Amino acid sequence: MDNFVLRPVMAVLDKVEFDGSSADEALSEVQHLGKPTHAGVSRFTEHATRMYLASHRPHADVAMRPVRELWVAQRITKTVVWELYAWGRRYESVDGRLREFRFLRLGDVGSRERDPTEIALAAYVAAFGAPAAWPDPWSQPFRPSGRAGAQCVRVMDVGLVNGSVKPCFEGTAEEVEEYFAEHGRRQVSTIVAGGDAVPGSGCASCKRVTVCDGPGRTPGLLGLDASHGPLRTVSISGLRYYRKCPAQAYLRSVHLPRAYEYSAEAELGQAVHAWLEAAHDGKPTQCGRDALPALGSSWSAGKWHVAAGVLADAGIRMLAHHVEVCPFHEASEIDSIQVEPRLTFADTTARAIVLARPDLVYREAGQWVWRELKTTQKAPESFGDPLRKFPQLALGVAVLAAGGLGPGGAGRVELEILRPTGAEIVLIDPADDERVETARAVLREWATAWRADHSFEARVGRNCRWCPVSLWCPSYPGPDENGKDHPSGAASATAAES
Ligand SMILES: [Zn+2]
């Protein structure tokens, strides 16, 4: 998938592979040509380019040359232009019998399996496509020309954080046909048919977002005055990172690879969330204690594992206390259950795509309920107004008050706090004008500086020591005087995948 962080990397590689520039020359030309980028993105571009070039040893068996044109498979009927191409780097053997397609990803190739549909499309265009330049304007069809296809095809995946390389497919054109029939053809007919809109973080860069019916339109959601800046994507956690450090928020938002960032306690919180996500998925059945792991044992939920010990037991006790406050305890007329849904709202006033991932939303007797979950081992304490302490609750109130979840009333927003010693529910009424006003004021307070910022400079301080994107940050002051290691040293960068 195209990502704007990859574009300067591609531009540098083009200069090296097609114009014969050195990496240094190409980097300096590209950094001075395009519009100014964040210094952290420039640093990543340089790192990624050098990693790619170092990973790209010529194959000993065949001499390969880079290919500038895209490989496009095209069929034009009376009503539709059917075009396939894939986004990456292309190479072919001098005799044209072998083509190699390379995907680029920001993180490590081992961080996530590449989708077989993507592999099938890339293999197909390499095996059967003809070279074509990018059409100008892009709304025009491609004009492929030259030799179509190759006898043999290789598809590789390259991880830019460390130059890791993984073969995804290797075979003859006939084998590509079979692989494509299994993994690609159905997907392609969906694309041709249009498919359902899948709103999300891609919306901000989509030309059609203002007319698309994908993201829910909720003007004024963030409580800001009319903005004229570029459309941007934000979430409550993004605003939290912004408060800590604008540079960290920015470098996270463009999905640069991150060092591992979870403490043992944070891992436990994720495991409790994942356990309840699975328990609540689908039908409104009250959780019971029978399914809980025994005290003293290790347990897992989703991709999270908690080794036997004090923390694992604390998590089991939290889950046992959840039973008392389970949303489906004595509940009736429940429908539209969505567990950790990825919700997208278009705040056309703030020109922002707002992403939210509440822990649970559902309708009870026609009224929407928005529930957030927090796990903690701290003793209960007074935290003042929950809307101020937990801005994700303010977003829930603003969304329900705006009718953002669809047909149904604004029922309630809940915060469930789980401790090893007990459970607590905080309730907020989104039909109460004062609560709605306060929620909007909180969101405005959190979002104003973010919306007005155009440079996202680093706020250097203690937080830098734990910052998972400090590897890319030119303002990172280095390890502290106690000689603590850099938390995201290149060699140990466990890349989170975008
Ligand atoms: Zn439950």
Side-chain angles (χ1 to χ4, degrees):
M1 182 60 75
D2 189 3
N3 174 317
F4 96 94
V5 171
L6 288 175
R7 284 181 211 155
V9 177
M10 292 292 263
V12 174
L13 294 177
D14 283 350
K15 286 190 179 295
V16 171
E17 293 188 336
F18 305 127
D19 304 342
S21 303
S22 72
D24 288 337
E25 289 163 356
L27 278 162
S28 122
E29 280 174 45
V30 168
Q31 311 271 26
H32 288 102
L33 266 181
K35 55 182 178 179
T37 43
H38 194 277
V41 173
S42 302
R43 181 174 277 214
F44 175 78
T45 300
E46 176 166 359
H47 175 88
T49 309
R50 294 193 194 285
M51 284 292 156
Y52 183 85
L53 292 172
S55 80
H56 194 185
R57 300 264 169 266
H59 291 277
D61 48 343
V62 201
M64 303 290 280
R65 64 178 170 215
V67 176
R68 190 191 288 269
E69 290 80 20
L70 294 151
W71 293 320
V72 177
Q74 190 183 53
R75 203 174 68 209
I76 300 180
T77 69
K78 279 186 187 134
T79 51
V80 70
V81 180
W82 188 91
E83 280 174 340
L84 284 183
Y85 62 92
W87 196 92
R89 313 282 317 164
R90 290 162 299 278
Y91 304 87
E92 67 183 2
S93 60
V94 177
D95 63 9
R97 293 157 62 93
L98 171 68
R99 280 181 176 176
E100 179 172 312
F101 181 89
R102 297 188 147 225
F103 288 112
L104 270 57
R105 64 164 69 200
L106 300 177
D108 179 278
V109 291
S111 59
R112 182 173 50 87
E113 286 295 309
R114 192 164 282 280
D115 182 350
T117 304
E118 283 182 277
I119 298 171
L121 293 179
Y124 189 87
V125 295
F128 303 107
W134 192 251
D136 181 25
W138 72 269
S139 55
Q140 289 297 307
F142 285 99
R143 300 188 186 286
S145 63
R147 185 215 292 254
Q151 290 166 16
C152 291
V153 161
R154 261 199 295 245
V155 179
M156 315 287 271
D157 204 0
V158 182
L160 297 174
V161 71
N162 54 8
S164 49
V165 176
K166 184 176 172 183
C168 300
F169 179 91
E170 179 153 12
T172 61
E174 293 78 52
E175 285 163 330
V176 170
E177 279 260 50
E178 285 169 35
Y179 190 84
F180 184 76
E182 188 179 346
H183 298 287
R185 199 173 294 285
R186 256 188 41 220
Q187 183 69 15
V188 170
S189 32
T190 319
I191 296 168
V192 171
D196 289 335
V198 182
S201 58
C203 290
S205 57
C206 175
K207 292 184 167 70
R208 300 187 62 241
V209 69
T210 49
V211 295
C212 178
D213 57 5
R217 290 162 68 82
T218 44
L221 185 65
L222 293 176
L224 299 179
D225 297 333
S227 165
H228 303 288
L231 193 60
R232 282 186 186 164
T233 306
V234 74
S235 63
I236 293 294
S237 42
L239 292 176
R240 279 191 188 283
Y241 300 136
Y242 183 83
R243 258 195 195 188
K244 248 188 231 166
C245 170
Q248 181 184 157
Y250 183 81
L251 298 177
R252 280 173 174 276
S253 74
V254 297
H255 308 296
L256 290 194
R258 303 192 296 268
Y260 194 74
E261 58 187 309
Y262 296 99
S263 65
E265 286 213 0
E267 286 179 349
L268 176 66
Q270 296 284 348
V272 170
H273 273 80
W275 182 280
L276 293 176
E277 181 181 350
H280 294 152
D281 205 4
K283 41 184 204 299
T285 314
Q286 191 197 348
C287 295
R289 289 202 170 84
D290 300 348
L292 293 181
L295 285 171
S297 58
S298 304
W299 56 279
S300 301
K303 61 175 181 175
W304 303 93
H305 179 78
V306 199
V310 178
L311 273 181
D313 282 359
I316 295 166
R317 291 197 167 95
M318 288 177 191
L319 290 168
H321 286 296
H322 164 78
V323 172
E324 302 149 22
V325 295
C326 179
F328 305 134
H329 172 64
E330 293 181 3
S332 60
E333 288 189 67
I334 305 272
D335 61 21
S336 309
I337 300 171
Q338 296 173 61
V339 180
E340 302 206 11
R342 294 173 185 274
L343 306 178
T344 307
F345 305 98
D347 181 344
T348 42
T349 311
R351 295 190 46 73
I353 299 294
V354 183
L355 307 180
R357 204 165 178 205
D359 290 306
L360 180 66
V361 298
Y362 60 94
R363 257 185 339 198
E364 186 179 304
Q367 302 288 309
W368 284 107
V369 181
W370 175 300
R371 186 182 272 219
E372 298 285 355
L373 169 66
K374 180 175 167 51
T375 59
T376 177
Q377 302 204 63
K378 290 191 191 131
E381 50 170 1
S382 153
F383 47 70
D385 190 335
L387 293 179
R388 296 196 177 279
K389 174 78 177 173
F390 304 104
Q392 63 270 41
L393 300 178
L395 182 62
V397 168
V399 167
L400 291 196
L405 293 187
R412 58 186 189 272
V413 171
E414 302 178 332
L415 173 65
E416 170 178 350
I417 305 173
L418 292 181
R419 297 187 177 82
T421 51
E424 185 184 343
I425 293 282
V426 178
L427 282 179
I428 301 152
D429 180 2
D432 176 338
D433 291 344
E434 182 281 323
R435 294 285 71 194
V436 177
E437 283 297 303
T438 304
R440 293 206 177 114
V442 168
L443 293 172
R444 186 182 312 126
E445 195 186 309
W446 280 77
T448 299
W450 164 80
R451 180 63 259 192
D453 197 339
H454 294 285
S455 54
F456 294 91
E457 280 175 23
R459 186 170 301 136
V460 177
R462 269 172 60 79
N463 278 327
C464 295
R465 281 195 280 174
W466 299 284
C467 174
V469 287
S470 61
L471 184 59
W472 316 119
C473 180
S475 307
Y476 177 64
D480 64 20
E481 63 279 12
N482 303 324
K484 184 179 175 296
D485 282 346
H486 190 297
S488 55
S492 65
T494 313
E497 183 58 26
S498 58

